[in-house]
C-alpha cells in the first residue's frame, strides 16, 4: 500500500508492504521534493514493513522510494519501488534526525512522526524497543533532554513490555526547544552518574507564555503525585505563610528520612530514585532528601530548585545536593540532609537541627559550594 504508482495524500502517506522471506530484515525509505531529501531505515518483521511517512516538504509531488539491502555490498541499498505522492497540504514539516544508535538499539519512535510541531507546555513521546535488539531487556527507561538556549532539563520515561509512553514539560517558557531522545548505556558497576546515547532529535515550539521551571514536576520530583499533594496539604495545616510551610517541609524531610550510608558507600544510585521512592522507603542520600523536599514545596505552590554542588567540613568536599525555595520574593537555602543528623563510625545518627533552614550565607558557603540548579 499504496498499490498504484501515483497517489494523493494529506501530510502523511500510509506505507506498508511485504518482502520475500529471508530477503531483508530492513528497508530504507527516501522522500524527495526538488532539492529537499530525507531518508530513514525501518525494520522488516516477519516479512512485513509498515510506516506512517510524513510528506515533509509542503504541497505537491513527493518522490517516495523504497530501497532494499544490496546483497552484494554491506550496508548499501538498491531501489525496489518508487511512488509519486501528491501532498494536498501546504504544511512544511521538519524531518526528525535519527542517530546511529536508533537502529542499533532497536528504537521505534511512534510519536512524534516529525519535528517542528507546536505544543502548549506539555509534549507527548511514544514508541517501542525491539525485543531482539542489543540490551533491549536492560532498556528499562529512556531519557529525554530538552534544551532552550542555555537552559536544559532531563526527563525520564519508563519502558514497560518494550514500550514507552509519557509526556515532558517544556518548562523554560515560550519559544523553540531542541528535544533529544536517549537510551541508557548499561551500568557495569554502581555509580552516581548515568551514561546514555542519543537516538533521535527534533524541535518543538512551546506556545505557553509563562516560565514555570521551578513549579512544574521534573525528574525525581513528582510534585503532581496525589501522595505528595496530600502530604503537602497535611504539612501546611496551621501555616500562615509560605515560610511556615517551607519550614514544616524542611522539618518533615529531615526528621522522617534516614541517611542511607550503604547507598552512599556502594554508589547505589538508580535511575528511578525520586521523591516518591524516598517517601516509600524513608531512606536516601542527599539527592533523595532534596527530591522529596522540592516535590513537597512545588506541591505547595512554592517555587523550588534542586541545587547540585559540593559540601564538606574540611578542604576536601564531595558531591552534594540541597534546595533553594522562593519565599516572599527571596530565594532561601534549605539543606534537609545536613539538618537530619550526621554519620559517625559508618552509622547514621539522627539529630534534627533547624540550622540549615535559611542559614547565614557567609556561614553556609564555608561548607557548601553551589554549582547550578538541575531539572
Amino acid at each position: 500500500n499504496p498499490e498504484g504508482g501515483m497517489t494523493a495524500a494529506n501530510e502523511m502517506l500510509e506505507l506498508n508492504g511485504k518482502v520475500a522471506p529471508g530477503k531483508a530484515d530492513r528497508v530504507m525509505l527516501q522522500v524527495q521534493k526538488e532539492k529537499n531529501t530525507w531518508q530513514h531505515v525501518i525494520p522488516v518483521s516477519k516479512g512485513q514493513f509498515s510506516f506512517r511517512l510524513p510528506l515533509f516538504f509542503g504541497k505537491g509531488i513527493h518522490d517516495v522510494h523504497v530501497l532494499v539491502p544490496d546483497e552484494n555490498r554491506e550496508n548499501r541499498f538498491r531501489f525496489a519501488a518508487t511512488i509519486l505522492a501528491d501532498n494536498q497540504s501546504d504544511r512544511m514539516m521538519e524531518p526528525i534526525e535519527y542517530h546511529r544508535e536508533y537502529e542499533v538499539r532497536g528504537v521505534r519512535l511512534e510519536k512524534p512522526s516529525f519535528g517542528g510541531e507546536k505544543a502548549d507546555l506539555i509534549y507527548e513521546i511514544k514508541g517501542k524497543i525491539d525485543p531482539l535488539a542489543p540490551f533491549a531487556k536492560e532498556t528499562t527507561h529512556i531519557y529525554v533532554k530538552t534544551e532552550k538556549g542555555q537552559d536544559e532539563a532531563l526527563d525520564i520515561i519508563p519502558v514497560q513490555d518494550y514500550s514507552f509512553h509519557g509526556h515532558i514539560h517544556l518548562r523554560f517558557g515560550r519559544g523553540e526547544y531542541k528535544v533529544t531522545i536517549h537510551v541508557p548505556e548499561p551500568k557495569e558497576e554502581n555509580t552516581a552518574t548515568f551514561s546514555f546515547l542519543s537516538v533521535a532529535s527534533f524541535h518543538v515550539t512551546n506556545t505557553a507564555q509563562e516560565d514555570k521551571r521551578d513549579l512544574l514536576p521534573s525528574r525525581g520530583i513528582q510534585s503532581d503525585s496525589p501522595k505528595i499533594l496530600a502530604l503537602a496539604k497535611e504539612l501546611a495545616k496551621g501555616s500562615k505563610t509560605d515560610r511556615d510551610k517551607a519550614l514544616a517541609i524542611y522539618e518533615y524531610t529531615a526528621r522522617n528520612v534516614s541517611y542511607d550510608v550503604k547507598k552512599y558507600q556502594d554508589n547505589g544510585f538508580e535511575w528511578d530514585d525520586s521523591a516518591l521512592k524516598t517517601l516509600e522507603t524513608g531512606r536516601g542520600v542527599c539527592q533523595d532528601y532534596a527530591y522529596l523536599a522540592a516535590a513537597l514545596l512545588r506541591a505547595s505552590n512554592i517555587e523550588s530548585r534542586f541545587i547540585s554542588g559540593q559540601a564538606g567540613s574540611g578542604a576536601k568536599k564531595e558531591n552534594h545536593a540541597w534546595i533553594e525555595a522562593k519565599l516572599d520574593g527571596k530565594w532561601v537555602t534549605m539543606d534537609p540532609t545536613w539538618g537530619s543528623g550526621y554519620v559517625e563510625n559508618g552509622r547514621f545518627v539522627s539529630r534534627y537541627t533547624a540550622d540549615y533552614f535559611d542559614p547565614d550565607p557567609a556561614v553556609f558557603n564555608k561548607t557548601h559550594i553551589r554549582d547550578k540548579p538541575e531539572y
Side-chain angles (χ1 to χ4, degrees), residues 55-269:
L55 301 174
F56 296 104
F57 308 119
K59 193 169 185 176
I61 301 294
H62 288 61
D63 295 338
V64 178
H65 304 292
V66 181
L67 299 89
V68 295
D70 190 322
E71 296 175 349
N72 300 315
R73 294 186 298 174
E74 188 176 359
N75 294 323
R76 296 296 182 90
F77 291 81
R78 53 188 176 86
F79 287 94
T82 296
I83 301 156
L84 301 181
D86 188 4
N87 187 18
Q88 304 300 299
S89 171
D90 58 5
R91 181 182 182 182
M92 299 290 290
M93 295 177 280
E94 175 190 292
I96 292 175
E97 180 182 349
Y98 296 98
H99 308 157
R100 180 179 178 275
E101 293 297 321
Y102 184 88
E103 184 178 355
V104 172
R105 294 289 291 271
V107 181
R108 303 292 173 251
L109 188 61
E110 297 175 354
K111 288 186 179 182
S113 301
F114 52 88
E117 291 187 288
K118 292 182 179 179
D120 185 1
L121 190 63
I122 297 175
Y123 193 71
E124 183 180 16
I125 306 287
K126 182 179 181 182
K128 295 180 179 179
I129 306 293
D130 182 354
L132 300 179
F135 304 113
K137 187 176 180 180
E138 291 81 5
T139 307
T140 54
H141 57 287
I142 64 167
Y143 295 99
V144 184
K145 180 185 287 187
T146 51
E147 299 172 88
K148 180 176 180 282
Q150 299 299 312
D151 295 317
E152 67 175 49
L154 190 67
D155 288 280
I156 296 177
I157 299 177
V159 174
Q160 296 180 333
D161 297 326
Y162 303 103
S163 296
F164 56 89
H165 187 195
H167 295 80
I168 61 171
H169 289 96
L170 305 173
R171 60 190 320 108
F172 302 119
R174 188 182 184 92
E176 185 178 78
Y177 290 66
K178 181 181 180 181
V179 181
T180 307
I181 297 174
H182 305 78
V183 290
E185 282 193 294
K187 290 168 55 176
E188 295 182 0
E189 57 184 21
N190 287 348
T191 176
T193 60
F194 297 89
S195 299
F196 40 84
L197 304 166
S198 63
V199 296
S201 59
F202 50 91
H203 293 90
V204 177
T205 297
N206 182 25
T207 59
Q209 189 70 37
E210 195 172 355
D211 185 322
K212 294 186 175 182
R213 69 183 69 196
D214 299 314
L215 275 178
L216 290 168
S218 58
R219 173 174 52 100
I221 302 173
Q222 304 105 326
S223 52
D224 57 348
S225 162
K227 288 184 178 180
I228 296 292
L229 289 166
L231 178 56
K233 184 177 180 180
E234 180 68 24
L235 293 175
K237 288 181 179 179
S239 296
K240 296 181 179 180
T241 67
D242 282 349
R243 185 179 180 87
D244 292 339
K245 293 178 186 178
L247 179 57
I249 288 167
Y250 168 89
E251 182 172 352
Y252 174 87
T253 306
R255 287 190 184 277
N256 289 275
V257 179
S258 295
Y259 192 82
D260 193 335
V261 179
K262 187 175 188 306
K263 178 176 180 175
Y264 166 75
Q265 293 174 338
D266 295 347
N267 265 331
F269 294 81

Side-chain angles (χ1 to χ4, degrees), residues 13 153 240 295 312 365:
L13 177 65
K240 296 181 179 180
N365 293 339

